[in-house]
Amino acid sequence: MAKSESGREVSVSASELKEKLWELVKAIVHTDDYTVQATDEAISTLKSLKDFKSASGTSFSDRLDHFALPPHFRCPISTHLMTDPVILSSGQTYDRPFIQRWLNEGNRTCPQTQQVLSHTILTPNYLVRDMIQQWCNDRGIELPKPACDIHEVVTDADRDHLNFLLRKLSLSVSDQKEAAKELRRLTKRMPSIRTHFGESSDVILQLLSPLSPGTPCADSDLQEDLITTVLNLSIHDDNKKVFAEDPTVISLLIDALKSGTVQTRSNAAAAIFTLSALDSNKHIIGKSGAIKHLLDLLHEGQPLAMKDAASAIFNLCLVHENKGRTVREGAVQVILNKMMDHILVDELLAILALLSSHPKAVEEMGDLGAVPFLLSIIRESTSERSKENCVAILYTICFSDRTKWKEIREDEKVNGTLSKLAQCGTSRAKRKANGILERLNRSPSLTHTA
């Protein structure tokens, strides 16, 4: 910082000070009649340059403390200025090292919104990055380079240790348990270890050898540790395709869904959810028969496992062919029963909205009393997304089955549920609600018919 003639501080860069000093020195050296004022100004400029250099040695955080940092420049996790802003699939922006650590720890939700993530790919937010860079430039602050995660580097020592643990999985049960527990720990904390498993199918076979068909595995702890290791490994994007295309992996995940402990079944469902981030994997997993066992897990109602099962089912139903499979396995009744018990209502509504494009699902919803239940959710829920899903489902049901118009009309007379939603819902909710109401108004004589 330097002072103007008015005494007000102005921001001057080091390059500007050097240029000014160079002009003054040239005038002094090459001109015999230079003034005393020129030498004083040169000395003053040199002092300013010295002060600037000293200030640059101050830590970045100390210099940053002198300015009010805009809230949207802070990472929601670290609360510090972002140096490498990236966008999560939820639409929220975070600093890459901190959100990557969150994902590496096995989390599959957005830290801010708690929304289940459709995938874990991080997209650079160039707009925010440029805004932060400009903000720093305007204040004479040099934005630090993005942190490089040294844990992404695979060392020879890491490979040797991993291979040692994999060899132990072919030894006694005690050795297997010890190795599996260590692999579970390493694959959770060290992203570098995860990259090694996608390099060769032999590595996957070694990892899962204690669980292979024909191999007795009565130890529940061993199964849990190995399935959890698969979950940790599936977070790495490069492993997703390799794992899903290996029939051994999917088969053992299904075995875990059928017969594991609650924790094992939950982690198997979570692994299927993570692998299903790729559309090609959704088709593979759907054909494997996993959907039936995910629905069984949801039906049984273990709190720990239900959310993971629901997340996996939702992801799989994003492709059309899996909707039919899910409906044929009895998903509509399972989902409605859970919702009527006030369990995972928002999450299960999202699945039901996906399934409502399938004619059989619409028929079952009508038969199982979904219409009055969905109307009650619209009245009582505080979630705009849930209201939107409800009215979208109702729209499909009513335009597919005219026997349901009477229920809608009677509710409108008593509660005005759709009329209120048409006034204050989201744009999509308003559009769907108005579509139903317009049909009611055009056909006032619609009555219940068998």
Side-chain angles (χ1 to χ4, degrees), residues 336 339 345-346 348-354 356 365 370-398 408 417-418 421 426 428-430 432-433 436:
L336 284 174
M339 288 170 57
V345 173
D346 293 345
L348 296 179
L349 262 176
I351 299 174
L352 212 57
L354 285 177
S356 66
M365 282 187 250
V371 170
F373 177 61
L374 293 170
L375 288 167
S376 70
I377 293 177
I378 293 174
R379 290 193 299 273
E380 299 166 8
S381 177
T382 58
S383 168
E384 293 299 326
R385 183 62 183 273
S386 289
K387 292 178 183 180
E388 184 180 296
N389 281 331
C390 281
V391 74
I393 297 167
L394 285 168
Y395 184 91
T396 304
I397 292 175
C398 292
I408 298 287
T417 304
L418 294 177
L421 187 63
T426 65
R428 180 168 178 253
K430 289 178 180 178
K432 295 292 185 181
I436 298 173

Side-chain angles (χ1 to χ4, degrees), residues 122 128 181 215 223 227 233 287 302 306 340 378 450:
L122 302 177
V128 171
K181 193 168 294 296
T215 304
Q223 185 189 35
I227 292 298
L233 293 170
K287 292 175 183 176
Q302 292 287 353
M306 279 192 297
M340 289 177 181
I378 293 174

Side-chain angles (χ1 to χ4, degrees), residues 209-380:
S209 59
L211 304 180
S212 299
T215 304
C217 179
D219 193 280
S220 58
D221 290 338
L222 176 59
Q223 185 189 35
E224 180 183 318
D225 286 335
L226 290 175
I227 292 298
T228 306
T229 299
V230 172
L231 167 60
N232 295 340
L233 293 170
S234 68
I235 294 170
H236 195 284
D237 287 333
D238 291 344
N239 289 338
K240 287 179 169 53
K241 184 175 177 63
V242 177
F243 276 36
E245 292 180 351
D246 189 320
T248 303
V249 176
I250 301 301
S251 175
L252 291 177
L253 287 175
I254 292 175
D255 287 344
L257 285 174
K258 291 191 290 187
S259 59
T261 63
V262 173
Q263 183 67 65
T264 301
R265 299 175 78 193
S266 178
N267 289 348
I272 290 174
F273 163 74
T274 307
L275 292 174
S276 64
L278 299 182
D279 283 347
S280 59
N281 289 355
K282 291 179 177 69
H283 295 283
I284 294 171
I285 296 168
K287 292 175 183 176
S288 72
I291 292 173
K292 175 186 184 305
H293 304 292
L294 290 168
L295 285 168
D296 289 343
L297 194 57
L298 182 63
H299 172 66
E300 290 172 21
Q302 292 287 353
L304 182 66
M306 279 192 297
K307 194 159 188 174
D308 287 316
S311 299
I313 293 167
F314 176 85
N315 248 15
L316 293 170
C317 287
L318 290 173
V319 298
H320 181 73
E321 67 185 54
N322 285 336
K323 294 178 185 179
R325 293 186 177 107
T326 305
V327 172
R328 287 192 295 272
E329 294 293 349
V332 173
Q333 182 153 22
V334 171
I335 289 171
L336 284 174
N337 287 344
K338 291 298 173 187
M339 288 170 57
M340 289 177 181
D341 288 337
H342 307 289
I343 296 171
L344 297 179
V345 173
D346 293 345
E347 292 86 347
L348 296 179
L349 262 176
I351 299 174
L352 212 57
L354 285 177
L355 297 180
S356 66
S357 64
H358 193 280
K360 179 65 175 175
V362 174
E363 180 185 336
E364 288 186 23
M365 282 187 250
D367 293 343
L368 294 169
V371 170
F373 177 61
L374 293 170
L375 288 167
S376 70
I377 293 177
I378 293 174
R379 290 193 299 273
E380 299 166 8

Side-chain angles (χ1 to χ4, degrees), residues 102-103 105-110 114-118 120 231 235 266-267 269-271 273-274 308 311:
W102 169 267
L103 297 173
E105 290 172 354
N107 296 297
R108 299 170 301 284
T109 56
C110 173
Q114 299 304 309
Q115 177 182 337
V116 175
L117 302 176
S118 60
T120 57
L231 167 60
I235 294 170
S266 178
N267 289 348
F273 163 74
T274 307
D308 287 316
S311 299

Side-chain angles (χ1 to χ4, degrees), residues 426-445:
T426 65
S427 58
R428 180 168 178 253
K430 289 178 180 178
R431 188 168 67 251
K432 295 292 185 181
N434 278 318
I436 298 173
L437 292 170
E438 286 170 9
R439 177 65 183 273
L440 282 177
N441 292 333
R442 284 201 310 268
S443 308
S445 61

Side-chain angles (χ1 to χ4, degrees), residues 58-69 135 139 141:
T58 308
S59 71
F60 174 75
S61 58
D62 288 341
R63 282 178 283 143
L64 199 60
D65 288 341
H66 294 294
F67 303 100
L69 184 64
W135 185 88
R139 287 154 183 79
I141 300 173

